[in-house]
Amino acid sequence: MAEKSRIGVTGLAVMGANLARNIASRGVPVAVHNRTYAKTEQFMADYASEGDFTASESVADFVNSLETPRKIIVMVKAGKPVDGVIEELTPLLDQGDIIIDAGNSHFPDTVRRTAECEANGLRFMGVGVSGGEEGALLGPSIMPGGDPAAYEEVREIFESIAAVVGGTPCVVHVGPGGAGHYVKMVHNGIEYADIQLIAEAYDLLTNVAGLDAPAVGKIFEEWNTGDLDSFLIEITGKVLAQTDEKTGKPLVDVIVDQAGQKGTGTWTAIDALNLGIPLTGITEAVFARGLSALRSERAVAAKTLAGPNPAKEADDESLVEDIRQALYASKVVAYAQGFAQMRAASVENDWGLKLGEMATIWRGGCIIRARFLNRIREAYDEHPDLDNLLMVPYFTEAVANAQDAWRRVIVKATEQGVPIPAFSSSLSYYDGYRRERGPANLIQGLRDFFGAHTYKRIDTEGSFHTRWAQDGTEVRTD
Ligand code: 6PG
């Protein structure tokens, strides 16, 4: 009888296949399975020589090829397919076996599946995995959530396959229940904001500073050597430098300007709304993708709606530097908001998230990996209960230094009719956050006028209602 495998992977599309290969490359025997057997056969034909793989056609054989407690990574499309796999596995598994959903599942589904599996004596983990195909193969950032004892069973394997930064693997047990998938969701939300900010900078450099794609690509390459140093800035330089084989033009110039999305950014924004956390950067990024999708409507509106057209200015170094600073300050705000959201969700769900650890495991392997996550980590190491990242001296100063440029860019873009929803909403958030007294007093007055919703006074405890439309008398209502 062949030796049992230490871990199994079911779902051998690129992410699953690469994760299986990554695990096997660490000398761990891996059982592999796919709903369609042809894919498993193809996997074995391509990669069997890379490690100790056991392939099974049936789920039962797959389950039997694993040592107990079984550890099964499910890498299938989020949604119904995950439930389908769990249903199939459940009757074949023993008490204490561990099902690990490593796809981009929505965290409420993870909470539900955890309870369902527990009711069947099984352990369930919702694990965020970031880094795309290459990350899965060479070292992703891993955000495991669920039963801590179950995590201990896979910890060694996860630590061996994760990306490593400064000797520290980019994996840590994030928290119980849906915490891992929640953190992955916010990671993706921040990814949306990062990408949108980059797109706005590209738009300004192209349509206001009048630069062509290769020139903008060089600027991003240069920016990647400073505070903005990150994977997304790096690949922006590469994407902009690519020439289209067919036309000889920059490839970006022949790509349709409609952004796709699979839903994680939208989930992040919806959850922020539910929590009452201002998450303007990520939410505007989701809206911008929605607006980009209205391509045929935009084509008509472009000929109908009035507005200034960007007056392409001669290449202006100070404008380029202003855009860099605006990008950096907006990015700081987007991260401050995303981390504030994780903090609120942790309190709401009693997850005990350690935000410094989240910054630590995002330093490598994942899509938003960036130099400045070191600073975020330091900030939370020093102040674990920090309300807002903007309040630590490093970021307070960074934004203070950038804010004049940030404002100039927003004025210029607005004057010239270039949309910058993430830049400008981030600045509005910043200006709103740093204001001791905003205009919500009037909102309260209006609510009380039309709906007797009451208000609080700055000088007296209690709730009050004014009979605005009658005799103007104020009454205490509590
Ligand atoms: C990652 C990515 C990955 C994927 C997103 C893209 O961390 O490896 O975030 O999860 O690329 O699904 O999301 P959209 O298709 O919604 O842009």
Side-chain angles (χ1 to χ4, degrees), residues 20 118 182 254 258 262 325 338 423:
E118 270 172 17
Y182 191 91
V254 297
Q258 272 180 310
K262 296 198 198 77
Q325 300 216 32
F423 275 16

Side-chain angles (χ1 to χ4, degrees), residues 363-396:
R363 290 180 309 160
C366 66
I367 306 299
I368 64 169
R369 59 187 182 261
R371 189 204 286 186
F372 98 143
L373 281 159
N374 280 312
R375 299 276 172 259
I376 298 182
R377 175 172 97 131
E378 284 161 16
Y380 284 107
D381 280 352
E382 266 181 58
H383 315 277
D385 289 322
L386 187 63
D387 283 324
N388 192 303
L389 264 182
L390 290 166
M391 300 304 289
V392 291
Y394 180 84
F395 290 112
T396 306

Side-chain angles (χ1 to χ4, degrees), residues 185-304:
M185 177 189 81
V186 176
H187 164 283
N188 280 27
I190 293 176
E191 174 186 307
Y192 272 55
D194 255 341
I195 293 175
Q196 175 62 24
L197 293 168
I198 287 171
E200 290 178 20
Y202 154 71
D203 197 357
L204 292 164
L205 290 166
T206 308
N207 290 310
V208 178
L211 300 167
D212 62 13
V216 178
K218 289 223 165 60
I219 288 171
F220 275 91
E221 211 179 290
E222 166 71 30
W223 286 356
N224 197 41
T225 60
D227 291 335
L228 284 169
D229 177 353
S230 62
F231 172 68
L232 284 169
I233 296 284
E234 179 194 336
I235 64 168
T236 302
K238 292 184 176 157
V239 167
L240 290 167
Q242 186 77 22
T243 304
D244 175 38
E245 277 179 19
K246 196 165 151 202
T247 59
K249 292 181 182 167
L251 183 56
V252 281
D253 290 351
V254 297
I255 295 179
V256 172
D257 62 336
Q258 272 180 310
Q261 51 183 317
K262 296 198 198 77
T264 44
T266 306
W267 296 342
T268 317
I270 290 173
D271 186 66
L273 288 169
N274 285 332
L275 289 168
I277 291 293
L279 191 81
T280 60
I282 293 171
T283 308
E284 286 294 353
V286 176
F287 288 149
R289 289 197 192 186
L291 187 58
S292 82
L294 305 177
R295 188 165 176 242
S296 50
E297 284 183 45
R298 287 189 287 114
V300 178
K303 297 188 186 74
T304 315

Side-chain angles (χ1 to χ4, degrees), residues 37 97 134 138 160 178 201 234 250 253 276 299 325 380 387 465-466:
Y37 188 51
D97 284 352
E134 198 180 290
L138 302 173
S160 74
E234 179 194 336
D253 290 351
Q325 300 216 32
Y380 284 107
D387 283 324
H465 167 60
T466 287

